[in-house]
Amino acid sequence: MKYKAIIFDLDGVICFTDEYHYLAWKELADELNIPFDRTINERLRGVSRMDSLEIILEKYSGPEFSKDEKEKFCGKKNDIYRKSLENMSEKDLSEEVRETLKELRNRGLKLAIGSSSKNTKFILKQIGLEGFFDAISDGTNITRSKPDPEVFLKAAQFLAEEPKDCLVIEDAEAGIDAAVAGGFDNAGIGSASDYSKSTYRLGSFSDILKIV
Ligand code: B16
Ligand code: MG
């Protein structure tokens, strides 16, 4: 086998919470009268909550917000986002993802999550994957967000595997950069499928089966 483990990003790879992120940020940006659209939203993929807010504030021209105010904005965005997550269920996990994960497990690969999100465990529970992965590295155990490799290095460490033996699956350029920085091969999917730094490019999630 080419790899011993696979580390999956969550949002945009296992499930599609990206639209909920967009709608929640949009509501906050509208309230603050800051222009925000889907083009800017693309830059938020894989980026932490606070770093996402900083990107949105690039278009804000009023007096500087304090750290407390920024924390409050992030909290507000998260409250709106969590309400959308409440409505998620096993139906939000596609048949293709479910079957591919099962097959990878049958092949004896270790499977982990490497996500920037602090809501990772809640989302996994909502889509019926609570307890499925061998390790979870997420926004709650890192101090530096993608493109820093910390989240993937921690995932490899939790799995007791070397980066060279793990394949990272990512939909964000920041995530691919993080994988490269950590010494991981990676496969780009969705928005990252044509990114030049991808080791492999996936047309579809089940294409992972052709790599490993
Ligand atoms: P939270 P991923 C990332 O998830 C999202 O792509 C990004 O838009 C979000 O800001 C980040 O998680 C933090 O999420 O606010 O839930 O902590 O792609 O790394 O799985
Ligand atoms: Mg993602």
Side-chain angles (χ1 to χ4, degrees):
M1 253 189 327
K2 210 162 174 182
Y3 300 100
K4 294 182 183 164
I6 305 187
I7 304 171
F8 298 90
D9 173 58
L10 182 62
D11 168 38
V13 171
I14 298 288
C15 61
F16 298 91
T17 38
D18 33 6
E19 183 66 10
Y20 299 146
H21 278 296
Y22 170 69
L23 293 172
W25 282 124
K26 178 76 181 144
E27 200 174 318
L28 182 80
D30 284 353
E31 215 170 282
L32 297 172
N33 269 316
I34 302 170
F36 177 64
D37 58 21
R38 287 179 190 275
T39 311
I40 303 172
N41 188 57
E42 278 305 304
R43 292 177 55 207
L44 311 186
R45 278 185 192 279
V47 172
S48 75
R49 206 177 297 167
M50 187 53 85
D51 290 352
S52 299
L53 178 68
E54 293 292 356
I55 291 171
I56 291 168
L57 290 180
E58 287 172 12
K59 292 263 187 248
Y60 173 72
S61 46
E64 173 99 29
F65 290 116
S66 67
K67 197 167 172 278
D68 276 2
E69 281 172 314
K70 288 181 185 176
E71 292 289 355
K72 231 169 61 199
F73 294 150
C74 283
K76 190 159 192 186
K77 179 266 172 176
N78 195 50
D79 289 346
I80 303 167
Y81 177 61
R82 289 281 293 208
K83 282 210 184 86
S84 307
L85 298 181
E86 297 279 355
N87 297 323
M88 288 184 87
S89 70
E90 291 185 17
K91 287 195 216 100
D92 291 291
L93 180 68
S94 77
E95 196 58 28
E96 181 184 4
V97 171
R98 191 195 315 273
E99 289 307 313
T100 304
L101 289 174
K102 228 193 272 170
E103 175 57 22
L104 292 169
R105 164 98 346 124
N106 286 343
R107 291 186 189 182
L109 283 141
K110 290 187 191 173
L111 308 177
I113 291 287
S115 166
S116 302
S117 177
K118 292 183 174 158
N119 293 297
T120 294
K121 293 187 182 86
F122 182 60
I123 296 168
L124 290 175
K125 181 164 173 255
Q126 293 298 86
I127 61 176
L129 286 179
E130 188 179 25
F132 176 83
F133 291 95
D134 301 300
I136 294 172
S137 174
D138 65 17
T140 64
N141 63 252
I142 54 170
T143 53
R144 295 176 304 278
S145 173
K146 300 169 189 174
D148 189 283
E150 185 180 11
V151 73
F152 297 134
L153 291 172
K154 285 262 165 65
Q157 192 188 321
F158 295 159
L159 292 170
E161 296 294 352
E162 296 291 325
K164 67 172 176 47
D165 294 319
C166 305
L167 176 69
V168 167
I169 317 289
E170 258 291 348
D171 74 309
E173 294 189 0
I176 305 263
D177 289 343
V180 172
F184 296 86
D185 279 357
N186 69 79
I189 192 166
S191 308
S193 60
D194 57 359
Y195 187 41
S196 58
K197 291 190 195 165
S198 305
T199 320
Y200 309 97
R201 294 165 188 201
L202 303 175
S204 182
F205 190 87
S206 58
D207 289 346
I208 299 169
L209 298 172
K210 296 181 199 157
I211 300 175
V212 296

